[in-house]
Structure formats: C-alpha cells, structure tokens
Amino acid sequence: MTTSTTATDVNQPTLQPAAPTGRRMSLPVLLLVIAGTLALTSLVRLVTGADGITNVSQMSTALQLAVPIGLAGLGGLWAERAGVVNIGLEGMMILGTWFGAWAGFQWGPWTGVLVGIAGGALGGLLHAVVTVTFKVNHIVSGVAINILALGATRYLAPLAFEGHQGGSAKQSPAVESLGHFTVPGLSGALTDLNAKGWFLLSDVAGLLGGLVTNVSWLTLLAVALVPGSWWVLWRTPFGLRLRSCGENPIAAESLGVNVYKYKYLAVIISGGLAGLGGVFLAIVANPFYLEGQTSGRGYIGLAAMIFGNWMPGGLAIGAGLFGYTDSLNLRGGSANVHALLLLGALLLLAGAIWLVVRRAYVKAAITLAVGVLFFAWYAGTNEVPNQVVSATPYVVTLVVLALSAQRLRMPKANGMQYRKGQGK
C-alpha cells in the first residue's frame, strides 16, 4: 500500500484532499487581525473605563471556560475529519462528567480523568457502531446518544452517590483537586503591568497573565492536545489515511486503507476528547458532578469547530472567543457587556470599510447599519439587562457562525454513508 499524495496517473485515485474552495486566511493576516482586535479592545477599555474586559482574572476565567468547549470541538474535529458527524458530543461530555466524578471521589482525581475519558470513548464507540456498521443517520444517532447519556446518568447518580458524604441524587461527593500552578515571577510581573492600564501593552499582559496564573494541570494537557492533534492529523501517515476517509473513502479503500477501522478509531478518540471535556467540568471547574453541568457546551464546541473551518487552530480561537463571552457572566457582566457594545460597533465599522475595499457595497451598507445600531444602543444606555449578559455566549455563537459561513469547507464525505467495496 502506498500513501503518497503524488499521482502518477491522472486516473489513479490518491489520498490528497480536495483544495478548499474559499480563500484561507494566511498567518500574517490572521496575526494582523488579532493585533487590530486587541488594539480596538484596549481603546474601548480606555474610553469606557471597563478595566475588567482584559484583566488577568477575566482572562484566567475565560481560559477555564474555553477548555471544555475546545475539547468538545476537538472531539468533533477528529470524527468529522473521518467523515462521521458527531452531534453526540454533548452526551459524551455528560458521560465524562459522571464517570470522572464517580471514579475520582473513590480512587483519586487522576483515576477520574482516565475513567472519564473511557466513559466518553464508550459513547463514541456506540456512535461508531450505529453509524459506521449499521449505517444509521449520523444526526439521529448523535441525538439518541445525547438522550441516552442524560437518562443513564440520571439513573446511575442516585445509586452511586446517595449515602456518601456530600452526595445526592443530582450531585457527587467532592473530588480531590488535580492541582494548579502559577509561573513564579512572570505571573506577578504581568499582573503588575496589567494593573497600570497602559494602552495595548497592559491588555496583552492581561491576556498572557491569564495563561500563567492559577492554571490547572489538566488545562495544560488540553492546550497541548490542539497542536498535538494538528501534528497527528496533518503530519503523519495515520492522519493522512484518517482524513482521506472523510474526503473520499472510495479512493482511500482502493489504496488499501481500512476505512471502517479509521472511522471507528476517529469516533472513539472523538468521544474520549469530549469525555475529557466533561472530566474538566466535574473535577477542575467544579470539584463534583452536578446534573446538567455541561449546559450545552458540547453543541458550542461543535460550533467552535465549524467556526474554525475544521482546523485545530481556528477551533482554538473559536473556543477562546466563546469562553471569553461566557466569562462575562461571572465577572462584572453587565458593565463589561455594555463596553463590548462599543467594541462591536467599531469592529462592524472596520468590516464595512473592508467590504467597501472589496466593492461589496450592499453588504458594506448592511454591516454599517448594524454597527450604527450597536453604537446607538451603547450611547443610549448605561448598562444592559442581565438577560442579555446570560444570552451573550449563545448570541455570539450564532453571529460568528453566520459571518463565517461563506468561507467554510467541511470534509467532502462528511456525514455520507459508506459501504465496504462501494467503489467496485
């Protein structure tokens, strides 16, 4: 079997994925966009006095909230790169929370991590059996797993947790902490620099300070999984074969790839990553399992994956964005969200100018009109209702997906049914 991506014959199928139809943003342009956004955020902070939008504690909270979303999204990426749509991420996260807390309070937190991953992987295995072997519609299977996971944990929780100190039908006993670390010297210096309130420099210090202050060891592992997944999927023969199953499984089979095996592996890994996200919620974010604690993060993780165009780097940016907006609920939400209305107006103005340069005048006019509405909302109020603060993460999810829809390209065979020998 050969896995070379260079075709020697125009009629010979290869494992080379089709090129994206949209224009991919280059790294220098992406860095320029990020720098411009940070500069506008700093300007908004100075104008509004909402120092909380970029302080170290805000960024630390945002990182903690972004991790389970990113792990769920990373799980979705593995499955969908192999051609299996995984709507069941939410259910696999639920299994991770329950199994992680159940094992964690009995045998220690690191055992809870391993068992929680296994619980999520069990959900992934079930999804693989149903979709790959029995050819059930992927969406139907994913929804069924979400319902099954919720029902199973509700049944098991009273049996496992009642009678133990701190346990009940909806909550597990407390789980011992995995531990946190702070980079000595660097954390204090960044915190002091952030407190000075300087333009841009203090905001960058706040962002970096949140990455080195009171960070869980599990957070470090989750962050490392992003470049690790990129390297495995895009720099190894295993990853090439796996991605070929999501692009053209018939061509992959003709070159000797066991498509069923790679789909099974991808979906099981997907479930394990989602389960790890659930473990994070049950051991790090909270030291116990609590019914309903996933709160739709599996679905938001799926949205982060789509926003990231099925790429690990873009997924991480999307998870960070959603984690940041979610953190506004916990730290000075109303004042910070009110300040971000001005930031939204400025970003929409920049977008309108960019569309004018591209001669998309109708889109530019619509974008500018929305930006004017945001500015009018900001200028005409002193705060926003608490309901708006609570809804901000979900609104941002919808807006980001709507704005990024035109540049998306999912794997070509994603969600399609495949049978062995189909190309013969």
Side-chain angles (χ1 to χ4, degrees):
M1 185 190 73
T2 178
T3 58
S4 172
T5 58
T6 303
T8 57
D9 184 341
V10 294
N11 295 318
Q12 176 69 29
T14 72
L15 298 184
Q16 178 66 37
T21 56
R23 182 179 300 174
R24 180 174 295 176
M25 186 180 294
S26 64
L27 181 60
V29 173
L30 176 61
L31 293 176
L32 185 62
V33 170
I34 293 174
T37 302
L38 280 173
L40 286 177
T41 303
S42 183
L43 178 63
V44 167
R45 177 182 59 80
L46 292 172
V47 170
T48 62
D51 295 332
I53 62 176
T54 58
N55 65 24
V56 171
S57 59
Q58 181 78 53
M59 295 304 176
S60 180
T61 302
L63 175 62
Q64 180 172 297
L65 292 170
V67 167
I69 294 172
L71 287 170
L74 204 58
L77 178 98
W78 274 83
E80 300 205 8
R81 278 293 175 180
V84 180
V85 175
N86 192 356
I87 298 293
L89 291 170
E90 179 78 4
M92 296 168 198
M93 286 189 77
I94 293 173
L95 292 174
T97 61
W98 190 89
F99 279 100
W102 170 71
F105 89 87
Q106 297 186 83
W107 301 300
W110 286 109
T111 302
V113 171
L114 296 176
V115 175
I117 293 173
L122 182 64
L125 175 62
L126 177 60
H127 188 50
V129 170
V130 172
T131 57
V132 178
T133 301
F134 292 101
K135 308 296 183 298
V136 174
N137 181 276
H138 299 188
I139 306 297
V140 173
S141 173
V143 172
I145 286 175
N146 291 339
I147 297 172
L148 179 62
L150 183 61
T153 52
R154 282 183 175 175
Y155 172 76
L156 292 172
L159 300 178
F161 302 142
E162 283 185 338
H164 295 276
Q165 184 177 2
S168 68
K170 296 186 177 182
Q171 179 178 315
S172 75
V175 180
E176 183 183 347
S177 173
L178 289 168
H180 296 76
F181 73 92
T182 296
V183 179
L186 181 59
S187 174
L190 290 171
T191 301
D192 292 340
L193 182 56
N194 176 247
K196 293 184 182 298
W198 293 342
F199 174 75
L200 190 58
L201 190 59
S202 291
D203 302 284
V204 174
L207 175 62
L208 297 177
L211 302 179
V212 296
T213 303
N214 199 31
V215 179
S216 167
W217 292 107
L218 196 56
T219 299
L220 192 63
L221 173 62
V223 172
L225 284 172
V226 175
S229 292
W230 173 83
W231 184 81
V232 170
L233 290 174
W234 274 269
R235 289 294 182 269
T236 66
F238 171 83
L240 176 62
R241 296 186 185 104
L242 187 147
R243 287 186 294 117
S244 73
C245 296
E247 296 289 346
N248 194 333
I250 296 176
E253 182 189 23
S254 71
L255 292 172
V257 175
N258 187 332
V259 176
Y260 279 11
K261 181 183 79 172
Y262 280 93
K263 284 181 179 288
Y264 261 84
L265 287 173
V267 182
I268 292 171
I269 292 171
S270 171
L273 289 168
L276 182 59
V279 169
F280 189 93
L281 291 173
I283 296 181
V284 178
N286 298 294
F288 48 79
Y289 161 83
L290 184 65
E291 184 179 304
Q293 69 189 137
T294 56
S295 300
R297 287 179 175 86
Y299 300 111
I300 298 179
L302 199 63
M305 178 204 68
I306 296 171
F307 165 78
N309 209 8
W310 288 265
M311 297 292 292
L315 182 156
I317 293 174
L321 174 63
F322 301 139
Y324 176 76
T325 55
D326 200 11
S327 71
L328 297 176
N329 288 325
L330 303 179
R331 295 186 176 273
S334 181
N336 290 340
V337 171
H338 184 257
L340 292 181
L341 291 175
L342 179 59
L343 176 61
L346 293 175
L347 290 174
L348 288 167
L349 174 61
I353 294 172
W354 180 72
L355 289 170
V356 169
V357 172
R358 297 193 63 185
R359 298 183 180 181
Y361 300 116
V362 175
K363 293 181 180 179
I366 296 173
T367 302
L368 181 60
V370 176
V372 170
L373 290 176
F374 268 70
F375 180 77
W377 188 1
Y378 166 78
T381 59
N382 293 321
E383 60 180 15
V384 295
N386 290 331
Q387 293 86 345
V388 174
V389 177
S390 300
T392 296
Y394 307 101
V395 173
V396 168
T397 301
L398 293 174
V399 171
V400 166
L401 288 178
L403 294 177
S404 62
Q406 294 182 348
R407 66 174 181 85
L408 299 179
R409 180 203 173 271
M410 70 177 182
K412 289 180 65 176
N414 193 22
M416 295 183 182
Q417 301 294 350
Y418 164 78
R419 288 176 172 81
K420 189 174 181 178
Q422 187 173 333
K424 296 180 181 179

